[in-house]
Amino acid sequence: MTHRDVAHALALCALPQMGPVRLRALLGRWPPEEAWAAVRSGRALTDAGVRERLVHAPAPLAERWRSASASIQPELLLRQAHAAGISVLLHGRPPYPSVLVDDPEPPLVLFARGDLGVIDGRRVAIVGTRNATEVGREVAFELAAGLAEAGVRVVSGLARGIDGAAHRGALVANGAPPIGVVGSGLDIVYPRESARLWDEVTARGLLLSEAPPGAPPEPWRFPARNRIIAALAEVVVVVESRRRGGSMSTVEEALARDRTVLAVPGSVRAAASEGTNHLITEGAVLVRDVGDILVALGFARPSPLDAAGALGAIDPADRPVAEVLQRRACDLEALIRATGLPLATVALSVTRLELKGVVARRAGWIEYVGGAP
């Protein structure tokens, strides 16, 4: 891979209305520098080889590309990306992620911030609605924390609602690093209130996008992003979702790639659970706790500790939660009140205790099952 290849591929991505299908048509016909020359000359969309690959392209688009290319300097764009800490990766050329190379629709140009080595580990996507309930956000947080604690990378879209809650859970666990896949340039934080979360995911894990630096979060970019989330994941978990929406597009992309889909059940009265309940009726694996996800990955489900010394085997940080649950079963809210600890601390303790088989969740209640000390 030459420096000029990367610079010209980046320049192609920066053209207006350049999506994955159009980029694939150009780079399927020419190497990056030749494709850029075709754009500059205005002949990019008149070439027969491109027309075979690209049926739907509005007539004025070639002129828009030619006009825009006059003000784009490929080498300068690449220097600016590197100055912002953004790597530009070309399909099939190291260090492009090997897990995406053979995907049916791989991003031909991928942008990254953080540690690309993070991808080399077990990966689970947690997705769901932006308009999540408080319970849904808590569940996403707890499942992600449990997965990270078990060494599994949590993949999500850094959106409001379920996605953001999942990434926060993965970060609080201080375990396996998270992976975020976003629908804007890596220098354009969306939603804006997630700036700190973006920074933390970048510092501790990896942030990926198909959108070039400076690209706004246009609506069409999110369905395209969802296929990358599905491609990266070994298992996709839907926490809350309506019957239609981004989560369901991720499910469709996952099924097209033979990924296992799991769903968290919810109330039949809750609109946020319509999609997940439907998935379960259609054969998705039901998720009760993080153990169900680990089993889907091929991990053994943690078995309960035997009665002798159960509390003695518990980390001191988790003892306040375990001691309350030994006295009585609680829901999460009651557990927070009884311990006086913040939500994140309690949720993480519950997850660790679940992984050890000391507590279990049943119908919204958390119960002690580890036996007497």
Side-chain angles (χ1 to χ4, degrees):
M1 175 175 61
T2 69
H3 180 84
R4 292 181 66 83
D5 280 339
V6 177
H8 286 93
L10 169 56
L12 290 169
C13 292
L15 292 170
Q17 296 180 277
M18 180 61 76
V21 174
R22 290 168 181 168
L23 185 64
R24 190 172 295 115
L26 293 179
L27 293 181
R29 176 68 177 89
W30 300 292
E33 192 167 358
E34 291 181 36
W36 182 249
V39 165
R40 292 294 305 271
S41 69
R43 62 185 175 86
L45 298 181
T46 59
D47 179 86
V50 173
R51 299 302 302 180
E52 287 177 8
R53 297 173 170 88
L54 195 62
V55 177
H56 302 291
L61 186 58
E63 177 56 30
R64 285 197 67 193
W65 283 355
R66 189 195 65 77
S67 177
S69 70
S71 61
I72 295 175
Q73 301 177 48
E75 298 283 346
L76 176 59
L77 275 188
L78 185 57
R79 287 198 298 273
Q80 290 171 337
H82 288 166
I86 299 172
S87 300
V88 184
L89 314 174
L90 266 58
H91 177 256
R93 307 185 190 184
Y96 187 95
S98 59
V99 68
L100 296 176
V101 168
D102 294 325
D103 188 75
E105 297 179 89
L108 297 188
V109 182
L110 190 63
F111 302 91
R113 290 181 69 185
D115 180 7
L116 280 164
V118 164
I119 292 179
D120 298 329
R122 308 303 301 273
R123 299 173 305 278
V124 168
I126 296 181
V127 299
T129 179
R130 289 173 170 82
N131 301 311
T133 65
E134 184 176 354
V135 170
R137 291 192 296 271
E138 289 174 358
V139 169
F141 183 101
E142 293 164 14
L143 292 176
L147 289 169
E149 186 87 8
V152 178
R153 282 86 169 122
V154 173
V155 184
S156 201
L158 277 168
R160 295 184 180 97
I162 297 302
D163 289 21
H167 274 132
R168 289 185 181 93
L171 288 164
V172 165
N174 201 25
I179 301 171
V181 187
V182 300
S184 61
L186 295 180
D187 55 344
I188 305 295
V189 176
Y190 178 80
R192 291 183 180 179
E193 66 266 23
S194 294
R196 181 176 176 182
L197 185 59
W198 278 49
D199 289 344
E200 290 177 349
V201 169
T202 302
R204 300 261 298 278
L206 177 64
L207 205 58
L208 296 172
S209 180
E210 194 173 20
E218 299 167 283
W220 64 266
R221 294 191 184 276
F222 292 94
R225 173 208 60 178
N226 292 342
R227 84 186 195 283
I228 302 174
I229 292 175
L232 286 170
E234 298 172 70
V235 168
V236 173
V237 179
V238 188
V239 175
E240 282 185 336
S241 176
R242 296 177 181 268
R243 286 289 294 270
R244 299 182 183 277
S247 304
M248 289 305 175
S249 86
T250 307
V251 167
E252 290 171 6
E253 297 288 358
L255 294 175
R257 291 163 172 80
D258 294 324
R259 303 299 196 260
T260 301
V261 174
L262 288 74
V264 175
S267 169
V268 294
R269 295 191 177 95
S273 296
E274 287 178 354
T276 48
N277 290 342
H278 174 71
L279 287 173
I280 291 167
T281 65
E282 293 293 305
V285 177
L286 184 148
V287 175
R288 299 163 299 172
D289 55 34
V290 70
D292 289 330
I293 306 173
L294 294 175
V295 168
L297 280 172
F299 288 42
R301 175 177 281 279
S303 57
L305 298 178
D306 57 44
L311 281 180
I314 294 171
D315 188 290
D318 300 329
R319 287 181 69 89
V321 169
E323 287 169 355
V324 170
L325 292 172
Q326 190 189 22
R327 295 192 297 270
R328 68 184 191 277
C330 296
D331 61 15
L332 191 63
E333 186 176 343
L335 195 51
I336 291 167
R337 288 197 303 269
T339 59
L341 298 172
L343 166 62
T345 302
V346 172
L348 191 55
S349 285
V350 169
T351 298
R352 283 195 292 257
L353 292 169
E354 271 190 296
L355 288 171
K356 292 179 178 178
V358 175
V359 304
R361 297 172 196 269
R362 296 190 177 104
W365 292 86
I366 306 163
E367 302 179 28
Y368 184 84
V369 296

